[in-house]
Amino acid sequence: MRLKLEHRIGVRAPAGVVWDILSDLPAWSEWNPVYRKASGVIRYGERLALTETLPGGQPRDLTVPILDWAPNEALHLRVSRLGGLLTSVRYLEIEALSETGCVFSNGDLFLGLVGPLVARRMRRTLRRSYALIGEAMRDRAEARWREAGGGAT
């Protein structure tokens, strides 16, 4: 069984600007309302240390392996809980639409027997967390692009 939950948002900034923000893990604490801490190296086989706080929830420390990544395009992580019964692929993706605009998507593909059941029960909270991340990314990328002289004032 699989269940996909995600949020997509248009960003008036180049994909490279979004990637620069996404790949600067120590700076996540400055803009990311869900992952207040992030550290590690974005490289195949590496693990990232994240502190996740879902809306209305308590902070939770995660250590997640990188499944895949591509500069200016995507970062995919595997999240496993409950001894592997709850597994998801967490993704943050950038789709370039033009030289000055893109779509930023983030969400989870829930897998296994338990993953989709838990995701259905937590659907509202998860969707809200994805929206918070997307809106924060959009705001930061567009501000950075404007500061660089690339966007409308």
Side-chain angles (χ1 to χ4, degrees), residues 25-44:
L25 298 173
W28 280 25
S29 63
E30 298 170 12
W31 67 270
N32 195 318
V34 174
Y35 297 103
R36 300 303 302 165
K37 288 185 189 175
S39 63
V41 177
I42 298 177
R43 199 168 37 212
Y44 291 109

Side-chain angles (χ1 to χ4, degrees), residues 44-121:
Y44 291 109
E46 294 291 329
R47 293 178 167 274
L48 301 184
L50 306 173
T51 299
E52 174 187 73
T53 306
L54 296 177
Q58 296 297 315
R60 173 176 39 200
D61 291 327
L62 304 170
T63 302
V64 296
I66 295 173
L67 294 177
D68 194 16
W69 72 279
N72 301 324
E73 293 181 15
L75 176 61
H76 296 172
L77 311 168
R78 186 180 75 231
V79 179
S80 183
R81 296 185 183 116
L82 303 174
L85 290 174
L86 172 58
T87 301
S88 71
V89 174
R90 177 143 316 148
Y91 59 90
L92 302 110
E93 298 179 336
I94 308 159
E95 178 186 353
L97 299 177
S98 69
E99 290 190 19
T100 60
C102 61
V103 172
F104 176 71
S105 304
N106 78 102
D108 283 277
L109 176 60
F110 293 91
L111 308 167
L113 297 173
V114 177
L117 298 173
V118 171
R120 279 187 190 90
R121 196 175 69 223

